[in-house]
Amino acid sequence: MDQEQVQAILSAPSAYRSAIPEKPDNLQYDVHNLIAFDIAPITENDNLLEVSRDNVQLLVNKVFALPSSMTESGIVVDLPAANIPGFLLPRA
């Protein structure tokens, strides 16, 4: 790849959306179990894929904001203790 191709790629408008969604962050999080709950109703006009993408992005942003450490396997995030008493997430 030559310099002109690199410049063309860097100057092209991005096809990716921002990592900071435009919707308000009104989710309830259980980062220990890596889940988020959105109790806002979804209307017929809402695009389910866009709402889901924004909610997942907000959860990922929370995970990346947690303390991390370097191990032999790479960077790992220290998940917090469970914060919903009595909630058990079924695992296989």
Side-chain angles (χ1 to χ4, degrees):
M1 186 177 293
D2 65 5
Q3 187 67 23
E4 290 178 16
Q5 290 173 323
V6 172
Q7 287 300 326
I9 291 171
L10 293 177
S11 63
S14 177
Y16 300 107
R17 294 182 53 194
S18 172
I20 303 171
E22 295 177 12
K23 72 173 275 181
D25 185 0
N26 59 356
L27 302 179
Q28 296 177 359
Y29 295 95
D30 180 5
V31 183
H32 173 77
N33 290 310
L34 299 176
I35 54 178
F37 303 98
D38 187 356
I39 60 171
I42 296 177
T43 65
E44 292 179 12
N45 297 333
D46 289 335
N47 182 337
L48 188 57
L49 291 176
E50 288 183 14
V51 172
S52 300
R53 180 258 173 217
D54 288 344
N55 290 344
V56 169
Q57 186 63 58
L58 288 169
L59 176 62
V60 169
N61 292 348
K62 289 280 186 190
V63 171
F64 273 88
L66 293 173
S68 61
S69 57
M70 180 62 97
T71 67
E72 292 177 6
S73 301
I75 298 175
V76 296
V77 174
D78 303 321
L79 295 177
N83 62 353
I84 301 177
F87 180 78
L88 296 175
L89 185 64
R91 300 280 187 198

